[in-house]
Amino acid sequence: MVAYTGIQGQNILIVSSDPTNPVEGQIWYNSTSNLLKGYANIVTNAWASGGNMVTANRAGGAAGTQTAAVTFGGDPNPATTQNYNGTSWTSTGNLNTGRFHIGGCGTQTAALAAGGYTGAGSTATEKFNGTSWTNNPTGLNTARYGLYVFGIQTAAIAATGNNGATYPTTAESFNGSTWTSVNPVNTARDNSAGAGIQTAGLLFGGNNPGPTAATESWNGTSWTTVNSMNTARYNLGGAGTQTSSLAFGGATPSSTGATESWNGTSWTTSPGSMSTARNGLAGCGSQTAALAAGGETTVSVTTTEEWTGESVQVRTITVS
């Protein structure tokens, strides 16, 4: 038997206020509140209802964060633009060219919309300032819809899509003024999702002509095929970064609420599925705070859901 005197642990720091930059696993005693506290990884992994959209839409674009988002385009209201403040939606200035299966990225006050379906594939590119849209003088080099766009308003990547006859592997880079062709993706598809910035992105899921789980990583120069998602699907939502992404919803081809997280190497299916299974939803935000808006069940819906994933938080330690 080991004697208690032989058991040694770490000293617990006594402080009058919580540390400003604690590390995960750190424990301390707050002498002001007389509480034992720790910095721990809290697993939530759940979707919760948000405020309903003003107008039901599917296959629209999105940009921003969970508490400051914008959605635009879609069917059956292809010019509609709506802003979200974390609680409710407000209608704002319409797109100049109404379309759906549109690509979008950026922030609520500096969004980019590119491509889409107007009866045929479009090259239209527009910029949003939080209130209204302005046509960019030059559009995409390849007209298409069902493309995915990631990055910011002045530095973005547009990849894949459908030109009405084929699924081009085309990718283009935007510098805030013009689009330039870059190396193509490895797996041709449309209606995929993605995340990231112009020099570090991720593309996942899609259709050609059925659902795919294919995932590709972009390093600013070329695409690399990496581990596939667990659930093949298209018309899904995406959020996050190249190394910390979230995939949710979509069609398998039936609508699903399945949610998966990407850690830079592999996908993990979350036990927290969306409350409303749907496809064609607009997604934005981060892996730990994503937003899913609109989409289609059997009809276009106004449903909004907010995702709370894993986070590191200061927690009070209860002892007895």
Side-chain angles (χ1 to χ4, degrees), residues 4 6 29 37 41 67 75 114 122 125 127 135 143 145 160 174 184 186 189 226 230 247 267-268 318:
Y4 285 114
Y29 179 77
K37 295 186 175 184
N41 193 26
T67 57
D75 177 55
S122 174
T125 301
K127 297 175 180 177
N135 287 322
Y145 56 92
T160 67
F174 187 63
N186 297 302
R189 51 192 138 158
V226 292
N230 296 298
W267 290 97
T268 301
T318 302

Side-chain angles (χ1 to χ4, degrees), residues 13-14 20 36 75 94 99 106 110 153 196 207 211 243 257 261 279 283 301 319-320:
L13 185 67
I14 299 175
T20 55
L36 184 65
D75 177 55
N94 286 345
R99 53 213 199 263
Q153 189 184 73
N207 169 69
T243 57
S261 60
N279 70 88
V301 298
V319 295
S320 60

